[in-house]
Amino acid sequence: MDELRVSLSPRLSAVRSLAQMVEEFGDANKLPDQQVYMINLALDELITNTVSYGLRGVARPRIEVGLQVHDSSLVLSIVDNGEKFDPTENTNPDVSSPVDERPIGGLGLHLIKTFADRVTYEYADGKNRLTLEHDLTPEAG
């Protein structure tokens, strides 16, 4: 299994069953536990944001998740039909001020972008598509 494709109902409870599928995918592809953990962390953050904010008022909300292993990379894609939102823009939170002086929000997307080697976003045909690509090192893959 070098590819996982899942279509989710827009419920936060879907994250738990998706996490189990990602763990099974990681085991089947011999991915390091840390990498599987970070993928699940990214999915939790992105799906929670999409369900909580992006899909409000959408008649038939859908979220599609794809995970693929290529020769030297792991590619995670998330597609939804919610309101246009580019997480690659304006998501650099203040990480230099003391914690109690920082505004709330933005750290999850910051961590996701920091962890990925490449992040791309596009909006086409009424759908957001976010792709996170992670290099697999010989010892990690």
Side-chain angles (χ1 to χ4, degrees):
M1 172 171 57
D2 59 358
E3 182 175 5
L4 174 68
R5 293 249 171 238
V6 180
S7 182
L8 301 172
S9 295
R11 294 189 301 259
L12 295 178
S13 61
V15 173
R16 185 178 311 140
S17 60
L18 178 61
Q20 180 64 39
M21 288 184 243
V22 169
E23 288 177 10
E24 292 170 4
F25 179 84
D27 288 343
N29 288 284
K30 298 180 174 63
L31 297 176
D33 289 343
Q34 182 179 1
Q35 194 132 32
V36 171
Y37 174 81
M38 292 304 291
I39 292 296
N40 274 330
L41 185 66
L43 285 169
D44 189 318
E45 175 71 17
L46 293 168
I47 291 171
T48 298
N49 284 347
T50 300
V51 170
S52 299
Y53 308 109
L55 293 173
R56 290 182 181 166
V58 175
R60 293 189 178 139
R62 295 301 305 164
I63 301 171
E64 297 170 8
V65 175
L67 194 55
Q68 296 178 306
V69 174
H70 296 283
D71 291 338
S72 61
S73 64
L74 174 65
V75 179
L76 169 64
S77 63
I78 298 179
V79 178
D80 70 72
N81 62 343
E83 182 177 328
K84 182 179 180 181
F85 175 69
D86 182 355
T88 64
E89 292 183 348
N90 302 323
T91 56
N92 296 318
D94 177 6
V95 294
S96 60
S97 299
V99 172
D100 58 344
E101 295 178 13
R102 297 180 197 169
I104 296 172
L107 281 177
L109 291 176
H110 174 72
L111 288 172
I112 290 168
K113 292 187 324 185
T114 301
F115 170 65
D117 292 295
R118 286 164 293 286
V119 179
T120 57
Y121 168 83
E122 68 176 347
Y123 186 79
D125 300 324
K127 295 180 180 178
N128 294 290
R129 173 182 291 275
L130 181 66
T131 304
L132 309 172
E133 191 169 347
H134 307 265
D135 292 337
L136 296 173
T137 60
E139 52 278 352

